[in-house]
């Protein structure tokens, strides 16, 4: 017989203790870990609207309002270079030689039309337009410009001095000298154009190197 005063032992197979309380079944691998009590602290949640961390390897989406590449902008790394024949493009070798020779020929023509006082105009225009587009043109236009400026200075100076000294007749001798200097500007301008047109650099026998 069973002693009524002896507490009953829990039955492991029924899941109930001796006093009717539920007993968790024994774990086959060892003791049961403690359970989170009902009503315990809730783990912190990610706040609504917070920025999500991108997953590793996931593609990045552009943010709203980020600067976009303007339509029609040059692609593949920077501004496009102008091609030959386009305004501002580098001169070809043939065009470089052509404009270099025209700077000398233009100086000779200007000296002829302006009586030795306008030979610098054509070399100056060619130098300003093509100095950054062709190295040969820049060199020869600068040479022709310096020579024709020197011729102009001598011619104008001789005319001025000759006019001042004309009352003593000495100044009248300076007028033919000014004319000779103008003719030299024409002759050597033509020689320089021919030399440069054949592919040779030309340097005048005398000139004030005012344009470096």
């Amino acid at each position: 017989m069973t002693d009524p005063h002896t507490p009953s032992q829990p039955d492991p197979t029924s899941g109930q203790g001796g006093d009717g309380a539920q007993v968790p079944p024994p774990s086959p691998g060892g003791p049961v870990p403690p359970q989170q009590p009902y009503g315990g602290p809730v783990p912190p949640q990610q706040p609504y609207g917070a920025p999500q961390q991108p997953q590793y390897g996931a593609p990045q989406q552009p943010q709203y309002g980020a600067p976009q590449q303007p339509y029609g902008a040059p692609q593949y790394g920077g501004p496009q270079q102008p091609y030959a024949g386009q305004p501002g493009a580098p001169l070809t070798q043939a065009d470089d030689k052509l404009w270099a020779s025209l700077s000398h020929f233009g100086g000779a023509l200007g000296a002829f039309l302006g009586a030795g006082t306008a030979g610098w105009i054509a070399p100056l225009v060619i130098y300003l337009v093509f100095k950054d587009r062709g190295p040969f043109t820049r060199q020869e236009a600068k040479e022709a410009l310096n020579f024709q400026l020197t011729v102009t200075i001598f011619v104008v100076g001789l005319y001025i001095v000759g006019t001042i000294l004309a009352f003593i007749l000495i100044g009248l001798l300076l007028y033919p000298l000014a004319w000779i200097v103008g003719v030299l500007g024409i002759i050597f301008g033509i020689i320089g154009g021919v030399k440069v047109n054949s592919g040779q650099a030309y340097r005048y026998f005398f000139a004030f190197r005012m344009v470096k």
Side-chain angles (χ1 to χ4, degrees):
M1 294 182 63
T2 305
D3 189 358
H5 298 286
T6 303
S8 61
Q9 299 295 327
D11 187 1
T13 61
S14 62
Q16 295 185 356
D19 53 358
Q22 294 291 332
V23 178
S27 175
V32 179
Q35 302 295 324
Q36 181 72 20
Y38 178 77
V42 180
Q45 302 293 329
Q46 187 75 10
Y48 179 76
Q52 302 293 330
Q53 296 295 331
Q55 298 181 359
Y56 179 75
Q60 302 293 327
Q61 298 295 332
Q63 297 182 359
Y64 179 76
Q68 303 293 328
Q69 186 74 10
Y71 178 76
Q75 303 293 328
Y76 306 107
Q80 298 178 355
Q81 297 296 330
Y83 55 86
Q86 190 178 13
L91 296 175
T92 62
Q93 185 176 2
D95 290 340
D96 197 12
K97 184 176 68 173
L98 173 64
W99 286 107
S101 61
L102 287 178
S103 63
H104 294 278
F105 286 132
L109 180 61
F112 173 75
L113 296 177
T117 61
W120 54 272
I121 297 178
L124 176 62
V125 173
I126 295 176
Y127 176 76
L128 293 177
V129 174
F130 298 104
K131 65 177 182 177
D132 296 326
R133 299 176 57 185
F136 194 43
T137 300
R138 178 176 61 249
Q139 171 186 317
E140 296 304 318
K142 181 171 59 177
E143 182 68 15
L145 176 59
N146 285 326
F147 176 71
Q148 293 298 338
L149 283 175
T150 303
V151 171
T152 301
I153 291 173
F154 274 102
V155 171
V156 173
L158 289 172
Y159 277 127
I160 293 175
V161 175
T163 302
I164 295 174
L165 300 179
F167 66 95
I168 59 175
L169 301 178
I170 298 178
L172 297 178
L173 300 177
L174 299 180
Y175 290 153
L177 184 59
W179 181 82
I180 294 174
V181 174
V183 172
L184 291 177
I186 299 173
I187 295 175
F188 283 98
I190 295 175
I191 295 175
V194 173
K195 290 288 187 180
V196 172
N197 191 48
S198 64
Q200 304 177 22
Y202 185 75
R203 191 171 182 87
Y204 292 95
F205 67 97
F206 177 77
F208 295 133
R209 312 293 172 182
M210 292 171 284
V211 181
K212 301 298 184 180

